[in-house]
Short mmCIF file of all heavy atoms in Angstrom, two decimals:
data_model
loop_
_atom_site.label_atom_id
_atom_site.label_comp_id
_atom_site.label_asym_id
_atom_site.label_seq_id
_atom_site.Cartn_x
_atom_site.Cartn_y
_atom_site.Cartn_z
N ASN E 39 22.58 126.72 -47.11
CA ASN E 39 23.39 125.57 -47.51
C ASN E 39 23.74 125.56 -48.99
O ASN E 39 24.28 124.58 -49.47
CB ASN E 39 22.69 124.25 -47.16
CG ASN E 39 22.58 124.08 -45.67
OD1 ASN E 39 23.40 124.58 -44.91
ND2 ASN E 39 21.56 123.37 -45.23
N ALA E 40 23.42 126.58 -49.75
CA ALA E 40 23.75 126.58 -51.18
C ALA E 40 25.22 126.93 -51.34
O ALA E 40 25.66 128.01 -50.96
CB ALA E 40 22.89 127.60 -51.92
N GLY E 41 25.98 126.02 -51.88
CA GLY E 41 27.38 126.27 -52.14
C GLY E 41 28.26 126.20 -50.91
O GLY E 41 29.42 126.55 -50.97
N ARG E 42 27.72 125.78 -49.80
CA ARG E 42 28.53 125.68 -48.60
C ARG E 42 29.25 124.36 -48.56
O ARG E 42 28.74 123.33 -48.98
CB ARG E 42 27.66 125.82 -47.35
CG ARG E 42 27.12 127.22 -47.20
CD ARG E 42 26.51 127.40 -45.87
NE ARG E 42 25.98 128.76 -45.77
CZ ARG E 42 25.27 129.17 -44.76
NH1 ARG E 42 25.01 128.38 -43.76
NH2 ARG E 42 24.84 130.39 -44.73
N VAL E 43 30.44 124.38 -48.03
CA VAL E 43 31.26 123.18 -47.90
C VAL E 43 31.16 122.71 -46.46
O VAL E 43 31.24 123.52 -45.55
CB VAL E 43 32.73 123.50 -48.28
CG1 VAL E 43 33.60 122.29 -48.13
CG2 VAL E 43 32.79 124.05 -49.69
N PRO E 44 30.94 121.41 -46.23
CA PRO E 44 30.87 120.93 -44.85
C PRO E 44 32.12 121.28 -44.07
O PRO E 44 33.20 121.45 -44.61
CB PRO E 44 30.74 119.41 -45.01
CG PRO E 44 30.20 119.21 -46.37
CD PRO E 44 30.71 120.35 -47.19
N LEU E 45 31.96 121.36 -42.75
CA LEU E 45 33.05 121.80 -41.88
C LEU E 45 34.26 120.88 -41.97
O LEU E 45 35.40 121.35 -41.95
CB LEU E 45 32.54 121.87 -40.44
CG LEU E 45 33.49 122.44 -39.41
CD1 LEU E 45 33.88 123.86 -39.80
CD2 LEU E 45 32.86 122.43 -38.04
N GLN E 46 34.05 119.58 -42.12
CA GLN E 46 35.17 118.64 -42.22
C GLN E 46 35.99 118.91 -43.48
O GLN E 46 37.21 118.88 -43.45
CB GLN E 46 34.67 117.20 -42.24
CG GLN E 46 34.11 116.75 -40.91
CD GLN E 46 33.52 115.35 -41.01
OE1 GLN E 46 33.14 114.92 -42.09
NE2 GLN E 46 33.46 114.67 -39.89
N GLN E 47 35.31 119.19 -44.59
CA GLN E 47 36.04 119.47 -45.83
C GLN E 47 36.78 120.79 -45.74
O GLN E 47 37.88 120.94 -46.26
CB GLN E 47 35.09 119.48 -47.02
CG GLN E 47 34.58 118.11 -47.40
CD GLN E 47 33.66 118.17 -48.60
OE1 GLN E 47 33.39 119.23 -49.14
NE2 GLN E 47 33.19 117.01 -49.02
N GLN E 48 36.18 121.77 -45.06
CA GLN E 48 36.88 123.05 -44.90
C GLN E 48 38.15 122.86 -44.08
O GLN E 48 39.18 123.42 -44.41
CB GLN E 48 35.97 124.06 -44.20
CG GLN E 48 34.87 124.61 -45.06
CD GLN E 48 33.99 125.58 -44.29
OE1 GLN E 48 34.16 125.77 -43.09
NE2 GLN E 48 33.04 126.17 -44.99
N ALA E 49 38.05 122.08 -43.02
CA ALA E 49 39.22 121.84 -42.18
C ALA E 49 40.29 121.08 -42.96
O ALA E 49 41.48 121.36 -42.83
CB ALA E 49 38.82 121.06 -40.94
N ALA E 50 39.87 120.12 -43.78
CA ALA E 50 40.83 119.35 -44.56
C ALA E 50 41.52 120.22 -45.59
O ALA E 50 42.73 120.13 -45.80
CB ALA E 50 40.13 118.18 -45.25
N ARG E 51 40.77 121.09 -46.23
CA ARG E 51 41.37 121.96 -47.25
C ARG E 51 42.21 123.05 -46.62
O ARG E 51 43.17 123.52 -47.21
CB ARG E 51 40.28 122.56 -48.13
CG ARG E 51 39.66 121.53 -49.02
CD ARG E 51 38.70 122.12 -49.98
NE ARG E 51 38.05 121.06 -50.73
CZ ARG E 51 36.89 121.18 -51.33
NH1 ARG E 51 36.25 122.32 -51.28
NH2 ARG E 51 36.36 120.17 -51.99
N ALA E 52 41.83 123.48 -45.42
CA ALA E 52 42.61 124.52 -44.76
C ALA E 52 44.01 124.02 -44.46
O ALA E 52 44.96 124.78 -44.47
CB ALA E 52 41.92 124.95 -43.47
N GLY E 53 44.16 122.72 -44.22
CA GLY E 53 45.48 122.15 -43.97
C GLY E 53 46.23 121.87 -45.24
O GLY E 53 47.31 121.30 -45.20
N GLY E 54 45.68 122.22 -46.39
CA GLY E 54 46.35 121.99 -47.66
C GLY E 54 46.14 120.59 -48.20
O GLY E 54 46.86 120.15 -49.07
N ARG E 55 45.17 119.87 -47.68
CA ARG E 55 44.92 118.50 -48.12
C ARG E 55 43.67 118.48 -48.98
O ARG E 55 42.66 119.08 -48.65
CB ARG E 55 44.75 117.59 -46.92
CG ARG E 55 46.02 117.50 -46.08
CD ARG E 55 45.85 116.57 -44.94
NE ARG E 55 45.49 115.24 -45.39
CZ ARG E 55 46.32 114.20 -45.42
NH1 ARG E 55 47.57 114.37 -45.04
NH2 ARG E 55 45.92 113.01 -45.82
N SER E 56 43.73 117.75 -50.08
CA SER E 56 42.60 117.65 -50.98
C SER E 56 41.76 116.44 -50.60
O SER E 56 42.20 115.58 -49.83
CB SER E 56 43.10 117.52 -52.41
OG SER E 56 43.71 116.25 -52.58
N PRO E 57 40.56 116.33 -51.15
CA PRO E 57 39.74 115.14 -50.88
C PRO E 57 40.43 113.86 -51.36
O PRO E 57 40.27 112.80 -50.74
CB PRO E 57 38.46 115.39 -51.67
CG PRO E 57 38.39 116.87 -51.82
CD PRO E 57 39.80 117.35 -51.88
N PHE E 58 41.22 113.95 -52.44
CA PHE E 58 41.92 112.75 -52.92
C PHE E 58 43.00 112.31 -51.95
O PHE E 58 43.20 111.12 -51.74
CB PHE E 58 42.52 113.01 -54.31
CG PHE E 58 41.48 113.09 -55.38
CD1 PHE E 58 41.22 114.29 -56.00
CD2 PHE E 58 40.76 111.97 -55.77
CE1 PHE E 58 40.26 114.38 -56.98
CE2 PHE E 58 39.81 112.05 -56.75
CZ PHE E 58 39.54 113.26 -57.35
N SER E 59 43.69 113.26 -51.34
CA SER E 59 44.71 112.86 -50.38
C SER E 59 44.07 112.26 -49.13
O SER E 59 44.61 111.34 -48.53
CB SER E 59 45.62 114.03 -50.02
OG SER E 59 44.88 115.06 -49.41
N GLU E 60 42.90 112.78 -48.75
CA GLU E 60 42.17 112.20 -47.63
C GLU E 60 41.74 110.77 -47.96
O GLU E 60 41.87 109.87 -47.14
CB GLU E 60 40.95 113.04 -47.27
CG GLU E 60 41.28 114.38 -46.68
CD GLU E 60 41.88 114.26 -45.30
OE1 GLU E 60 41.48 113.36 -44.53
OE2 GLU E 60 42.78 115.05 -45.00
N LEU E 61 41.23 110.57 -49.18
CA LEU E 61 40.82 109.23 -49.60
C LEU E 61 42.01 108.29 -49.66
O LEU E 61 41.92 107.13 -49.22
CB LEU E 61 40.13 109.30 -50.97
CG LEU E 61 39.58 108.00 -51.53
CD1 LEU E 61 38.53 107.42 -50.60
CD2 LEU E 61 39.00 108.24 -52.91
N ASN E 62 43.14 108.79 -50.16
CA ASN E 62 44.36 107.98 -50.17
C ASN E 62 44.75 107.56 -48.77
O ASN E 62 45.10 106.40 -48.54
CB ASN E 62 45.52 108.76 -50.81
CG ASN E 62 45.58 108.57 -52.29
OD1 ASN E 62 45.23 107.53 -52.82
ND2 ASN E 62 46.03 109.60 -52.97
N GLN E 63 44.69 108.50 -47.84
CA GLN E 63 45.07 108.18 -46.46
C GLN E 63 44.14 107.14 -45.85
O GLN E 63 44.58 106.22 -45.17
CB GLN E 63 45.07 109.46 -45.61
CG GLN E 63 45.61 109.27 -44.22
CD GLN E 63 47.04 108.78 -44.21
OE1 GLN E 63 47.86 109.28 -44.97
NE2 GLN E 63 47.34 107.79 -43.39
N GLN E 64 42.84 107.26 -46.14
CA GLN E 64 41.89 106.28 -45.62
C GLN E 64 42.14 104.90 -46.23
O GLN E 64 42.05 103.88 -45.54
CB GLN E 64 40.46 106.73 -45.89
CG GLN E 64 40.04 107.91 -45.03
CD GLN E 64 38.64 108.39 -45.35
OE1 GLN E 64 37.97 107.83 -46.20
NE2 GLN E 64 38.21 109.43 -44.65
N LEU E 65 42.45 104.85 -47.52
CA LEU E 65 42.72 103.57 -48.17
C LEU E 65 44.00 102.94 -47.63
O LEU E 65 44.07 101.72 -47.45
CB LEU E 65 42.80 103.74 -49.69
CG LEU E 65 41.48 104.04 -50.38
CD1 LEU E 65 41.71 104.39 -51.84
CD2 LEU E 65 40.53 102.87 -50.26
N VAL E 66 45.02 103.74 -47.37
CA VAL E 66 46.26 103.23 -46.78
C VAL E 66 45.98 102.68 -45.38
O VAL E 66 46.47 101.61 -45.00
CB VAL E 66 47.36 104.32 -46.75
CG1 VAL E 66 48.52 103.91 -45.87
CG2 VAL E 66 47.84 104.62 -48.16
N ASN E 67 45.15 103.40 -44.61
CA ASN E 67 44.80 102.92 -43.27
C ASN E 67 44.02 101.62 -43.32
O ASN E 67 44.10 100.81 -42.39
CB ASN E 67 44.00 103.99 -42.52
CG ASN E 67 44.83 105.20 -42.17
OD1 ASN E 67 46.05 105.15 -42.16
ND2 ASN E 67 44.16 106.32 -41.89
N MET E 68 43.25 101.40 -44.40
CA MET E 68 42.49 100.16 -44.55
C MET E 68 43.37 99.01 -45.02
O MET E 68 42.93 97.87 -45.01
CB MET E 68 41.33 100.36 -45.54
CG MET E 68 40.23 101.23 -44.98
SD MET E 68 38.95 101.68 -46.18
CE MET E 68 38.66 100.22 -47.09
#
Side-chain angles (χ1 to χ4, degrees):
N39 294 331
R42 291 191 181 173
V43 179
L45 186 59
Q46 290 175 336
Q47 288 181 358
Q48 286 178 356
R51 289 186 185 158
R55 296 182 58 104
S56 70
F58 289 111
S59 62
E60 291 291 324
L61 183 61
N62 271 329
Q63 187 60 44
Q64 289 178 1
L65 290 172
V66 167
N67 291 342
M68 289 172 41

